[in-house]
Amino acid sequence: MAEANPMLSLDALTFESARGALEQGCAAIAAGETIFDLGGVSAADSSGVAVLLAWQRRALKAGQRLTFINVPENLQMLAALYGVDQLLPQS
């Protein structure tokens, strides 16, 4: 089983937290992290989907590909609704 990212500690992926989450994730990617555990996320909206996509773009630019684990169901449903769920691999 893959190790979860210890640098990423988020409780929300919402409009209010998106900027901080984006910065935290980009720092983790720059440090070489590729597995993002979203198990602590208790609130998410469409901004969360945008953050996940931005992280994935940043990782791809760095020659990496992220894997997301413990993705909240509502975030999975939003990604599927927008047709981007295949861009956000989960383990």
Side-chain angles (χ1 to χ4, degrees), residues 47-65:
S47 298
V49 175
V51 169
L52 298 184
L53 291 170
W55 287 341
Q56 194 65 273
R57 281 191 307 272
R58 179 66 61 99
L60 291 171
K61 188 175 179 180
Q64 303 170 341
R65 185 159 179 87

Side-chain angles (χ1 to χ4, degrees), residues 54-76:
W55 287 341
Q56 194 65 273
R57 281 191 307 272
R58 179 66 61 99
L60 291 171
K61 188 175 179 180
Q64 303 170 341
R65 185 159 179 87
L66 300 181
T67 299
F68 299 102
I69 59 175
N70 300 315
V71 179
E73 186 176 350
N74 69 324
L75 204 50
Q76 292 178 38

